[in-house]
């Protein structure tokens, strides 16, 4: 049985879908603060899934989950808005760091010693060189990145002392949705580029803004590495296999090795939708590094991972999902 924390959220739900489709038994533990019960209900149609509503800050909630026979944990549950983390660091340190500490505590008590953890390129901070490999120094520039780095360090210490084996997957920019549009990215506060472009098409009250056109890049807009959600999930499955095969604690970048500017992504969206999309340009958004691109060699070499999907694939699947989602939301109004 695999425990997936945060399985009702964007990335977690895609992982649960893949596990269920592979015939694995899964428990989702999620407080539904940002995840959705509708997502869980969809997932339940695809395999043997138990949903437990609970909070990582409540250790008794976690203990109950471990009455089940858990073989490994995939840990997604976290708050992940960079701007919010600057304004409310207390909330971030409590939720992400304390929550994970509680989880690891109960894991060790129950002798469950395999965890795949959703880390982030934000642990690297301002890039010193590009593409970023795993040896790049980790100096986060915001509380969100700090919480994820602290957790990585906790995991190292817990390996030395208690034999906890972790694989930390450092995501670059995750994009796209389930190929069949059964689930997808669904944030009540949407800050991400592709969904915001798409939302501006579906919702006449929303305008898409490009944040900053004066960066030192090919066209003046920020460059990011957009990794498709399905490819990203494949790495989680391989990481789990790696741990079950006796692999040691390790960490990997998940990206494509290629960067696209905001303008390029915008143009690609117009092409996929076959539509001119309105856009305005705004000041730079605070805390945005100019370029973030992953060197993904290590994940390929050690995990045997491949990224197969293109930016267009991600935009197309995100578009299909957004159509469905906007239908749901606007139907209520
Ligand atoms: N961005 C933008 N308009 C938006 C959302 C994002 O111009 O409505 C830009 C943002 O400034 C950054 C890039 O798109 O340069 C990717 O931002 P996102 O929030 O998707 O991911 P991040 O790289 O911050 O994790």
């Amino acid at each position: 049985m695999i425990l997936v924390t945060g399985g009702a959220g964007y990335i977690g739900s895609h992982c649960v879908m893949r596990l269920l489709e592979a015939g694995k038994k899964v428990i989702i533990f999620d407080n539904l603060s940002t995840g959705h019960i509708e997502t869980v209900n969809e997932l339940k149609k695809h395999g043997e899934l138990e949903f437990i509503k609970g909070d990582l800050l409540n250790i008794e909630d976690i203990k109950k989950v471990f009455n089940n026979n858990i073989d490994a944990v995939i840990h997604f549950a976290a708050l992940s808005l960079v701007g919010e983390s600057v304004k409310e660091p207390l909330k971030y340190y409590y939720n992400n760091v304390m929550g994970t500490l509680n989880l690891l505590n109960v894991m060790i008590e129950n002798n469950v010693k395999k965890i795949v953890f959703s880390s982030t390129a934000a642990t690297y901070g301002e890039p010193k060189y590009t593409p970023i490999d795993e040896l790049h120094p980790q100096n986060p520039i915001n509380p969100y990145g700090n919480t994820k780095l602290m957790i990585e360090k906790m995991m190292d210490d817990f390996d030395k002392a208690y034999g906890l084996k972790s694989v930390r997957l450092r995501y670059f920019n995750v994009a796209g949705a389930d190929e069949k549009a059964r689930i997808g990215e669904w944030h009540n506060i949407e800050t991400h580029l592709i969904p915001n472009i798409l939302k501006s098409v579906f919702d006449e009250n929303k305008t898409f803004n490009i944040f900053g056109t004066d960066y030192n890049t090919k066209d003046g807009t920020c460059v990011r590495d957009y990794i498709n959600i399905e490819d990203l999930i494949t790495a989680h499955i391989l990481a789990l296999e790696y741990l079950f095969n006796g692999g040691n604690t390790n960490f990997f970048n998940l990206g494509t090795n290629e960067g696209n500017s905001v303008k390029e992504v915008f143009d690609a969206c117009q092409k996929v939708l076959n539509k001119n999309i309105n856009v305005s340009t705004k000041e730079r958004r605070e805390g945005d590094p100019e370029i973030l691109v992953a060197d993904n060699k290590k994940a390929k070499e050690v995990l045997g991972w491949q990224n197969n999907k293109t930016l267009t694939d991600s935009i197309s699947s995100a578009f299909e999902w957004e159509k469905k989602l906007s239908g749901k939301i606007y139907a209520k109004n």
Side-chain angles (χ1 to χ4, degrees), residues 10-263:
Y10 169 42
I11 302 174
S13 62
H14 288 76
C15 187
V16 171
M17 184 67 94
R18 187 75 68 83
L19 290 166
L20 293 174
E21 288 185 332
K24 301 267 189 273
K25 290 183 191 166
V26 179
I27 299 183
I28 292 181
F29 183 83
D30 197 302
N31 64 6
L32 295 182
S33 65
T34 54
H36 300 272
I37 192 66
E38 291 87 340
T39 306
V40 174
N41 291 338
E42 176 61 40
L43 290 168
K44 279 189 173 162
K45 298 178 194 161
H46 303 279
E48 212 171 311
L49 171 65
E50 190 183 340
F51 171 62
I52 299 176
K53 185 166 186 261
D55 202 304
L56 290 174
L57 290 177
N58 182 344
I59 203 156
E60 296 308 318
D61 279 0
I62 310 174
K63 283 185 177 164
K64 273 184 224 142
V65 178
F66 279 79
N67 289 334
N68 295 282
N69 203 1
I70 311 280
D71 300 303
V73 178
I74 311 185
H75 178 34
F76 295 98
L79 296 172
S80 62
L81 297 176
V82 170
E84 186 183 59
S85 81
V86 176
K87 291 198 187 90
E88 297 180 73
L90 203 55
K91 186 168 144 185
Y92 274 69
Y93 284 99
Y94 260 114
N95 263 279
N96 295 1
V97 182
M98 266 300 250
T100 305
L101 194 57
N102 283 341
L103 173 67
L104 298 182
N105 184 349
V106 180
M107 282 178 69
I108 288 156
E109 256 176 31
N110 285 275
N111 208 26
V112 177
K113 297 199 172 161
K114 296 181 187 69
I115 186 164
V116 176
F117 173 57
S118 144
S119 188
T120 167
T123 59
Y124 295 117
E126 202 62 55
K128 300 247 180 295
Y129 55 85
T130 185
I132 296 174
D133 59 15
E134 289 82 354
L135 299 175
H136 187 286
Q138 287 181 294
N139 288 311
I141 53 168
N142 53 58
Y144 166 67
N146 279 328
T147 64
K148 292 280 180 172
L149 181 56
M150 282 179 148
I151 295 167
E152 288 210 20
K153 288 187 188 293
M154 259 159 40
M155 288 178 168
D156 277 333
D157 291 339
F158 286 19
D159 184 8
K160 286 182 200 124
Y162 315 120
L164 178 88
K165 300 297 170 202
S166 65
V167 173
R168 283 101 63 160
L169 299 174
R170 298 179 187 152
Y171 310 155
F172 282 65
N173 288 57
V174 187
D178 171 56
E179 276 171 352
K180 297 179 186 150
R182 296 167 295 187
I183 50 174
E185 190 162 9
W186 184 359
H187 297 125
N188 291 334
I189 303 169
E190 189 51 77
T191 60
H192 293 123
L193 178 61
I194 296 173
N196 273 346
I197 298 173
L198 299 175
K199 280 185 199 306
S200 76
V201 173
F202 287 107
D203 184 346
E204 59 199 25
N205 298 318
K206 290 204 167 107
T207 313
F208 170 62
N209 298 310
I210 294 185
F211 299 133
T213 50
D214 58 350
Y215 287 97
N216 187 21
T217 56
K218 45 188 159 187
D219 58 21
T221 63
C222 283
V223 170
R224 295 288 181 274
D225 184 338
Y226 295 89
I227 169 81
N228 178 271
I229 181 90
E230 301 276 6
D231 283 343
L232 184 101
I233 296 307
T234 302
H236 290 70
I237 305 301
L238 292 169
L240 206 56
E241 276 171 19
Y242 166 92
L243 288 175
F244 280 120
N245 288 333
N248 263 323
T249 287
N250 218 330
F251 40 87
F252 303 97
N253 286 342
L254 294 181
T256 67
N257 248 76
E258 276 175 42
N260 283 104
S261 71
V262 173
K263 274 191 185 150

